[in-house]
């Protein structure tokens, strides 16, 4: 009986010891200053790549390269893959998730209410997260930065740069809710100026060429919002639209450099850097993510694509920077 009791006590002590050594496989040690950050980027293109790099640079600057591990994954444009990626981050109990673009943010928001989530390259958080009374702060475990540039000023660029235009085509991905939001705002602005506006939405990258061809045939000028699918297909769009001599006003610089004549755009690197600075404050315990409002770039810049403008014979007024 004594040997039996001793055996039981020994097993109990082993169990307690094992439990004490348990924990996350990858999660950071906040007390020791070591952190693990999961980065989920929706797709590869210039703008999102710049935001991710800015984020990493700011985090390394704030925490020290030796104190942070990045688990960086790219979903190749697939929202379902975003879900798989962030679920893996949650299973590894990372200290923070950076969600680059709307699809990544939505997947992260559905995956955890505990791990801090910072979005970037997301245009309108109220739309992305279906918050009907959004006032600028998401609350809970989510905050971040927005890539929204003044849409009314983008609409005015259509009038200023293509004054003879009577019909404008809205070219965007119907699967991206923030693209639809931008289109609705710009459409209202243009219609108030007496222009006819037509929607040309594609559902996937495989549809881009056909829809872009239809848009170019139906309109005098095309507007493309900040749209991740369009941004990854600028070469396709340019190959279809440029021969028709139809100018494109773009929502951001990456799309403009690939197929547009002008844009009112932000710096995605600086946007990512701001997101990284927010991450540092959260991880150091200096900020409560639930009270952090969404941050915006206060200094959008008018830029133009000299090569395409020259080919189309479009003269850009003062106040624009060449890409």
């Amino acid at each position: 009986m004594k040997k039996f009791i001793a055996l039981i006590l020994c097993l109990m002590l082993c169990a307690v010891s094992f439990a004490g050594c348990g924990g996350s496989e990858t999660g950071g040690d906040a007390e020791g200053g070591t952190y693990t950050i999961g980065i989920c980027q929706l797709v590869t293109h210039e703008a999102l790549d710049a935001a991710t790099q800015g984020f990493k640079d700011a985090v390394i600057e704030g925490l020290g390269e030796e104190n942070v591990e990045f688990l960086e994954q790219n979903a190749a444009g697939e929202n379902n893959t975003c879900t798989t990626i962030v679920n893996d981050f949650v299973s590894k109990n990372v200290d923070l998730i950076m969600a680059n673009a709307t699809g990544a943010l939505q997947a992260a928001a559905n995956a955890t209410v505990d791990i801090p989530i910072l979005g970037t390259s997301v245009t309108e958080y109220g739309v992305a997260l279906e918050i009907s009374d959004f006032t600028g702060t998401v609350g809970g475990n989510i905050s971040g930065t927005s890539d929204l540039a003044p849409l009314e000023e983008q609409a005015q660029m259509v009038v200023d740069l293509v004054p003879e235009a009577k019909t404008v085509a809205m070219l965007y991905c119907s699967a991206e809710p923030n693209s639809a939001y931008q289109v609705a705002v710009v459409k209202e602005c243009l219609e108030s100026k007496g222009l006819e506006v037509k929607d040309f939405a594609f559902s996937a990258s495989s549809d881009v060429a056909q829809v872009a061809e239809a848009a170019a045939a139906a309109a005098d000028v095309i507007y493309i919002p900040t749209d991740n699918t369009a941004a990854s297909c600028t070469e396709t769009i340019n190959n279809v639209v440029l021969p028709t001599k139809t100018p494109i006003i773009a929502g951001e610089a990456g799309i403009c450099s690939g197929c547009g004549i002008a844009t009112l755009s932000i710096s995605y690197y600086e946007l990512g850097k701001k997101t990284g600075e927010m991450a540092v404050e959260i991880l150091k315990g200096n900020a409560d993510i639930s009270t952090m409002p969404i941050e915006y770039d206060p200094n959008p810049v008018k830029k133009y694509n000299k090569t395409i403008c020259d080919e189309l014979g479009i003269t850009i007024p003062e106040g624009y920077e060449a890409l």
Side-chain angles (χ1 to χ4, degrees), residues 111-157:
T112 178
V113 295
D114 299 315
I115 297 172
I117 299 168
L118 287 176
T120 194
S121 313
V122 176
T123 304
E124 225 292 329
Y125 281 73
V127 173
L129 300 175
E130 298 182 348
I131 304 172
S132 59
D133 57 346
F134 182 63
T135 59
T137 301
V138 176
N141 65 322
I142 300 174
S143 188
T145 56
S146 168
D147 60 3
L148 182 65
L151 297 175
E152 295 82 0
E153 294 182 38
Q154 289 186 356
Q156 186 60 43
M157 291 174 71

Side-chain angles (χ1 to χ4, degrees), residues 3 15 21 25 31 60 66 76 85 128 131 134-135 144 181 201 214 216 218 226 248 255 268 307 316-317:
K3 290 182 179 180
C21 293
E25 178 184 341
E31 291 183 3
I60 289 171
E66 70 281 4
I85 290 169
I131 304 172
F134 182 63
T135 59
Y181 167 79
T226 301
I248 294 173
I255 297 175
Y268 278 83
T307 301
I316 298 296

Side-chain angles (χ1 to χ4, degrees), residues 49 83 87 94 110 114 120 122 139 146 157 177 179 255 257 267 279 316:
D49 292 348
T83 299
N87 283 338
V94 298
N110 289 330
D114 299 315
T120 194
V122 176
S146 168
M157 291 174 71
S179 295
I255 297 175
S257 64
S267 166
I316 298 296

Side-chain angles (χ1 to χ4, degrees), residues 191-276:
E191 287 177 340
S192 71
K193 300 176 187 297
L195 293 167
E196 181 183 5
V197 182
K198 299 179 179 180
D199 285 3
F200 289 86
F202 48 86
S203 58
S205 57
S206 57
D207 303 326
V208 168
Q210 181 180 359
V211 177
E213 183 178 7
D220 304 311
V221 59
I222 295 172
Y223 172 78
I224 303 177
T226 301
D227 183 293
N228 292 303
T229 307
S232 64
C233 298
T234 56
E235 183 177 358
T236 299
I237 295 171
N238 193 54
N239 289 341
V240 170
V241 173
L242 189 60
T244 70
K245 304 295 183 181
T246 308
I248 294 173
I249 303 297
E252 57 94 7
I255 297 175
C256 186
S257 64
C259 60
I261 62 167
T263 183
L264 177 64
S265 186
I266 65 167
S267 166
Y268 278 83
Y269 177 83
E270 292 299 329
L271 198 69
K273 190 173 181 180
K274 178 61 182 175
T275 314

